[in-house]
Amino acid sequence: MIRVVKPGLSTTVQDLGRPGYYSIGLPPSGALDKYSHTVANLLVGNDPAAATLEATYLGPELEFRADLRFAVCGADMPAFLNGQPIPLWTAVAARSGDVLSFGMLQKGARSYIAVEGGIEVPPVMGSRSTYALCGIGGHEGRALKAGDMLEKGDLQTRAPREGVAVPEKWRPNFAEAAELHVVPGLYVHRLTEESKQEFFAAEWTVTPEANRVGYRYKGIRLQFVDRPQPFGAGSNPSNVVDCGYPIGSIQVPDGVEPIVLLNDAVTGGGYATIGTVISADLDRIAQTRTNQKAKFVEIDLAEALRRRRERQTRILEVESFLRQS
């Protein structure tokens, strides 16, 4: 149904992930920017759980082997069909033999390519998402390669209409500086009071170590409170006896370069987690690039839940609009 002519820098099959396996050390994987993934699916009439292609920094070149509709959402990465520009956040019709390609990334970091029916690969533990570190899910458990053949699935819930587009008000704005809201974590007390204030006041820069496992930031050095080494913990003050790492949790090994753990990260370990980026802002992290700036903003749980409801409402509004279009 779809032939991979060029794979791009890193293009993987992703859906909404495989939650429920933290107890055996398996992270959920899934689309890093779930909003763009979901809206791309809705544009082509798919269930939001259908698999899309997540393309990082450099898009793939794909040859469609059948007539179908598709949509590209997420990063501001120009898309072309047979060399002609096509709009993003829009349902587009392709004919058999048409070729989809991409230009240079302008804003954001990841594009999501949805085709009607979804990308069909064998589910693993209830998900089609690629977890490349373990070689499971997706297409042969890895990023796409030139020559791969992908099939179209049947997770379509309604017939899409060619040309329908998501209005600007529901399209994310990928500003150069990201504001990331954080709920203080279980071990935030391990930071000195001064470092706690500095963490939220400082401007941080995304390092080249920014991928599906996590994003590392550089900036100031943070100080942890000295303490006797607990049994079972490392000697560094940033170490604790092993704890669970929720998606979005922030660890600062030795007080140097905070790491926000993402969908393919380990599920637990021995570093103090000083906070967690709220779920509503994880999409924003996914659309930041190396050398972009970020600021962490402290909020409480009630505000985090309000922002999550707001994000869910936005998705429902988009879905309602597309059903009526």
Side-chain angles (χ1 to χ4, degrees):
M1 187 62 69
I2 302 169
R3 183 173 73 91
V4 179
V5 182
K6 297 178 182 178
L9 181 63
S10 178
T11 303
T12 58
V13 177
Q14 301 292 343
D15 58 18
L16 293 177
R18 55 177 63 82
Y21 296 99
Y22 250 53
S23 61
I24 61 171
L26 185 68
S29 298
L32 289 188
D33 179 356
K34 286 184 168 55
Y35 181 81
S36 295
H37 160 91
T38 297
V39 173
N41 269 324
L42 293 175
L43 274 166
V44 295
N46 289 348
D47 186 300
T52 63
L53 297 181
E54 178 183 88
T56 303
Y57 292 157
L58 178 65
E61 185 174 311
L62 306 172
E63 179 191 0
F64 298 114
R65 294 292 183 91
D67 297 352
L68 53 73
R69 289 176 177 82
F70 70 94
V72 180
C73 295
D76 188 358
M77 188 189 302
F80 304 88
L81 194 64
N82 302 324
Q84 298 301 310
I86 57 172
L88 305 179
W89 302 89
T90 302
V92 179
R95 298 290 186 184
S96 179
D98 285 352
V99 175
L100 172 66
S101 60
F102 291 85
M104 294 295 293
L105 179 69
Q106 296 177 5
K107 286 185 178 181
R110 290 172 172 83
S111 290
Y112 292 84
I113 306 161
V115 299
E116 55 180 292
I119 301 295
E120 179 57 36
V121 293
V124 176
M125 303 172 82
S127 171
R128 294 175 171 80
S129 288
T130 308
Y131 181 33
L133 292 177
C134 282
I136 65 172
H139 183 76
E140 299 180 1
R142 58 168 171 78
L144 299 184
K145 296 180 180 179
D148 285 343
M149 297 296 294
L150 303 173
E151 295 184 7
K152 183 172 76 71
D154 59 1
L155 291 180
Q156 192 173 26
T157 59
R158 59 179 177 82
R161 185 171 66 83
E162 178 186 352
V164 66
V166 174
E168 288 289 339
K169 66 178 180 178
W170 288 315
R171 302 186 190 188
N173 175 29
F174 302 129
E176 283 301 306
E179 188 174 88
L180 305 174
H181 297 89
V182 174
V183 175
L186 184 62
Y187 295 103
V188 69
H189 67 281
R190 296 292 307 126
L191 286 176
T192 65
E193 192 59 38
E194 182 180 10
S195 282
K196 190 190 309 180
Q197 295 175 9
E198 289 174 340
F199 172 74
F200 288 111
E203 182 179 66
W204 300 91
T205 302
V206 179
T207 73
E209 296 179 78
N211 51 44
R212 289 186 51 83
V213 173
Y215 268 52
R216 185 186 291 266
Y217 297 82
K218 63 182 178 182
I220 61 173
R221 185 182 184 113
L222 302 177
Q223 300 296 324
F224 284 83
V225 177
D226 286 330
R227 48 77 168 130
Q229 181 180 351
F231 178 78
S235 60
N236 191 279
S238 65
N239 292 136
V240 294
V241 178
D242 283 11
C243 63
Y245 293 157
I247 302 300
S249 59
I250 305 167
Q251 56 179 228
V252 195
D254 195 29
V256 180
E257 297 188 344
I259 303 169
V260 180
L261 299 177
L262 297 177
N263 300 36
D264 287 355
V266 295
T267 59
Y271 286 113
T273 49
I274 63 171
T276 302
V277 176
I278 65 174
S279 60
D281 283 358
L282 295 177
D283 298 339
R284 186 66 188 90
I285 293 180
Q287 295 294 355
T288 55
R289 307 181 305 280
T290 298
N291 293 325
Q292 281 192 269
K293 306 298 182 182
K295 191 173 188 303
F296 297 105
V297 178
E298 181 178 359
I299 62 173
D300 60 19
L301 182 59
E303 177 62 11
L305 293 172
R306 187 194 70 78
R307 288 176 178 270
R308 185 174 70 177
R309 289 192 298 269
E310 185 179 78
R311 177 179 176 275
Q312 292 169 337
T313 298
R314 188 181 310 123
I315 291 174
L316 291 174
E317 288 173 346
V318 173
E319 183 174 17
S320 176
F321 168 80
L322 293 176
R323 287 188 179 278
Q324 297 171 28
S325 297

